[in-house]
Amino acid sequence: MTIDGFVAIYIFMLAAFAGWVIIGRVPAILHTPLMSGSNFVHGIVVIGGLYALLNASTVLEQCIGFVAVLLGAGNAAGGYAVTDRMLAMFQASGHSGAHASAHKGGSHHRKSKPPQKG
Amino acid sequence: MLTMLPSLVIDAVGIAVAFLLMFGLWRMSSPVTAPNGIKVAGVGMAAAVIASFLYLFDVSAAAKPHLPINIGLALVALAIGGGLSWWGGRKVAMTAMPQMVALYNGMGGGAAGAIAAMELFGSRAHGITQLGVTLLGALIGAVSLSGSLIAWAKLQGVLKKPLRIKGQQIINAVVMLFTLVAGLYIIFIEQNGSVPILPMQGLIWLFFGCAMLFGILMTLPIGGADMPVVISIYNAFTGLAVGLEGFVLQTPALMIAGMLVGAAGILLTLLMAKAMNRSVSNVLFTNFGDVAKQKQGAIKGSLKPTAAGDAGIAMRYASSVIVVPGYGLAAAQGQQKLYEFVKLLIAAGVKVRFAVHPVAGRIPGQMDVLLAEAGVPYDLIFQLEDINEDFSNTDIVLVIGANDVVNPSARTDKTSPIFGMPILNADKAKQVYVVKRGEGKGYAGIVNPLFYADNCNMVYGDAQAVMAMMIEAVRGLGLSAAA
């Protein structure tokens, strides 16, 4: 498959529009996870890194390709880890109340388990 | 043909991952569906990474002999990069989230830059379009890498002060010019096949060096208060760089995901700049510290300190309370104690809500995450536009660790640097208590007339200690229904 200039512009235009619409729907309360989540999404660059590294034919290319995959994998894995962790903390009322208020002092960190409720 | 199969699988997975990433972000429209959304996107990403090993059936003839080593390198890079980052992401404190996001973002930009570098060193990009897009992606990626690292260093406290020198903008312009000239020269040589004044490799290094230097110089003068906008811009940059390199590699999944983030990042940046009452160009090309130092008009009234216990008891007997948390609360690690106090109030029948300003915390939404971490249910957390009308019929507002976001000068004082910034109307409540470490000023260094108003009392002390005293006082009433 070859994507020439104009097809590329169509793809870019539609993707940009989709991004604008999708992100416009996200409530302000989730803006930090949104930032790290969109950060995770551009971690897809790791795939490009893998393609480049597998096609490397000189030592220099192997070095740069290695860096590309290293950084790309870091971007994807890290972005996922923090987003998932943050989103798991958002819970609705009545989920934790009784347990935590009975907890004297309350200074113990409750382990934040992802909410099971839909 | 059997050789068609791997590329067919890669294409199919590419379509799937593009869909799943978009769907994942789509699910972020509510805290209920968001956790599941990111998991779906994660599955897509993992599948895409595994599928991209199928590229090994399709490598160029020159790379064939190196394939075993390359595969080994890829596995090691995935394990180290992914592993370290994963571990860091699991460990990092929620207060340190902004710099972590900056770091991951820089990594993405670096990866995009590295891909472009390989295309250039291997002379794989041909034609003006391909070369131009490669170089543009390389430029944006490199700026995003070095700029994000500086942003990280600032937020982490490694770099303490914004560095400003005379003629900075001219120096920046010169470096940018150098980068562009190097880039254009590379295109010129590749097109005409003429002999360059520098070896091609040197030219490419020069190009990347200048681009990264530009990222550093551009970020150094920007003050800490503006870092959120900067991180968001670099997030958009990395997205654009990834999208452009996706075109060079002819990988639609990269193009879609990259451009999606690019557009999203620009939208977020604009939203954020609006909430901070700053224009984006203002953030990038002027210095925040310079505007804040202006003289203040005379302020009527006086600061009226009160005891934490008294304030706590007053809230216990109020019928409605709105809590306005700011970054000072997180700095004192007082969220847990605050929520414990709020639960006492709720148990006693007080209607308590949290009002969060868009720029409370260091990146938008960080305060929401910090409250959620302390166990505050998201349905108690309200955003500015949803709660601002309600302040005027609220008995008590508890401002804790926040300052500029409740400064009424933003509404009234045209000479104030924050004039026009949307603020929480805390001053309109019947009674306001402000928990503050001391008499100092806020992040922007502006006097806050709210603190001097008749309906406002100050509670001085560390947020955590103050909350502990309030809890004790309310418990001491012996009426607590929470026991």
Side-chain angles (χ1 to χ4, degrees), chain B residues 248-308:
Chain B
V248 175
L249 296 178
Q250 297 280 302
T251 318
L254 259 70
M255 295 170 70
I256 293 172
M259 200 48 64
L260 190 88
V261 177
I266 291 167
L267 176 63
L268 254 184
T269 309
L270 293 174
L271 283 177
M272 213 179 302
K274 199 175 143 217
M276 292 170 72
N277 201 32
R278 316 256 293 130
S279 78
V280 175
S281 67
N282 209 311
V283 169
L284 291 182
F285 303 117
T286 60
N287 304 322
F288 191 66
D290 300 347
V291 275
K293 287 188 204 77
Q294 43 88 254
K295 61 178 191 304
Q296 290 284 332
I299 286 178
K300 280 175 272 179
S302 60
L303 293 168
K304 298 165 288 294
T306 193

Side-chain angles (χ1 to χ4, degrees), chain B residues 8-174:
Chain B
L8 214 61
V9 172
I10 290 174
D11 287 341
V13 172
I15 293 173
V17 74
F19 171 77
L20 291 175
L21 291 178
M22 284 194 280
F23 181 70
L25 287 179
W26 180 260
R27 301 276 285 173
M28 276 209 194
S29 59
S30 149
V32 180
T33 53
N36 166 271
I38 187 70
K39 288 198 166 61
V40 168
V43 169
M45 185 74 80
V49 169
I50 293 167
S52 54
F53 275 93
L54 291 173
Y55 282 132
L56 63 88
F57 292 107
D58 197 27
V59 295
S60 61
K64 275 257 158 68
H66 302 283
L67 204 51
I69 299 174
N70 289 352
I71 293 173
L73 284 173
L75 290 172
V76 172
L78 279 177
I80 297 178
L84 279 180
S85 241
W86 182 272
W87 177 79
R90 287 279 146 195
K91 287 266 162 204
V92 64
M94 285 299 142
T95 41
M97 199 50 77
Q99 51 266 48
M100 209 63 190
V101 172
L103 197 60
Y104 294 146
N105 190 36
M107 288 179 174
I115 292 170
M118 286 189 68
E119 295 293 308
L120 293 170
F121 281 124
S123 300
R124 271 188 279 267
H126 300 291
I128 292 189
T129 318
Q130 281 248 324
L131 266 174
V133 172
T134 308
L135 286 166
L136 185 62
L139 171 62
I140 298 174
V143 168
S144 179
L145 168 65
S146 61
S148 295
L149 288 178
I150 297 292
W152 171 83
K154 281 178 179 250
L155 288 166
Q156 187 71 23
V158 180
L159 280 174
K160 292 253 158 46
K161 285 220 157 131
L163 185 81
R164 286 163 194 157
I165 44 174
K166 274 209 177 110
Q168 190 131 29
Q169 307 208 6
I170 297 163
I171 297 173
N172 289 6
V174 168

